[in-house]
Amino acid sequence: MLNDMTLLTTEELSERIKYDPRTIRERLKDSVLLEGVHYIRPFGGRKILFLWETIRDDMGKFSSHSLAIPMARGGAAHG
């Protein structure tokens, strides 16, 4: 699976989604972007690599449901 994925650093992801790298690290990581789903830590280290295709697909899903709140396991709360 990882062979087919585009791996991005925080800075590279920042350029693609137009969010500040600090916002990605402090507000999105572990709330919207989940380890094992949207990013990995290669070799169990501190370095984080984001999985572009998963993030791109999830951004498209949730933007079509403007009132939906993304949930940790991939669902959405409609309020």
Side-chain angles (χ1 to χ4, degrees), residues 3-71:
N3 292 338
D4 300 330
M5 301 297 277
T6 304
L7 302 175
L8 303 174
T9 64
T10 304
E11 289 73 20
E12 292 168 332
L13 178 63
S14 168
E15 292 172 14
R16 290 196 185 197
I17 66 171
K18 310 301 183 217
Y19 276 83
D20 187 84
R22 186 174 175 178
T23 300
I24 294 171
R25 284 190 297 271
E26 294 179 3
R27 298 194 66 210
L28 299 179
K29 189 177 81 58
D30 297 326
S31 63
V32 176
L33 302 175
L34 306 174
E35 186 169 4
V37 176
H38 300 105
Y39 72 91
I40 60 169
R41 294 177 189 268
F43 312 109
R46 292 185 53 183
K47 178 104 176 148
I48 293 173
L49 294 175
F50 292 92
L51 307 171
W52 171 242
E53 288 77 9
T54 304
I55 293 170
R56 179 198 61 209
D57 294 346
D58 282 357
M59 283 177 60
K61 282 183 210 172
F62 294 117
S63 68
S64 64
H65 304 297
S66 60
L67 296 177
I69 301 168
M71 304 301 286

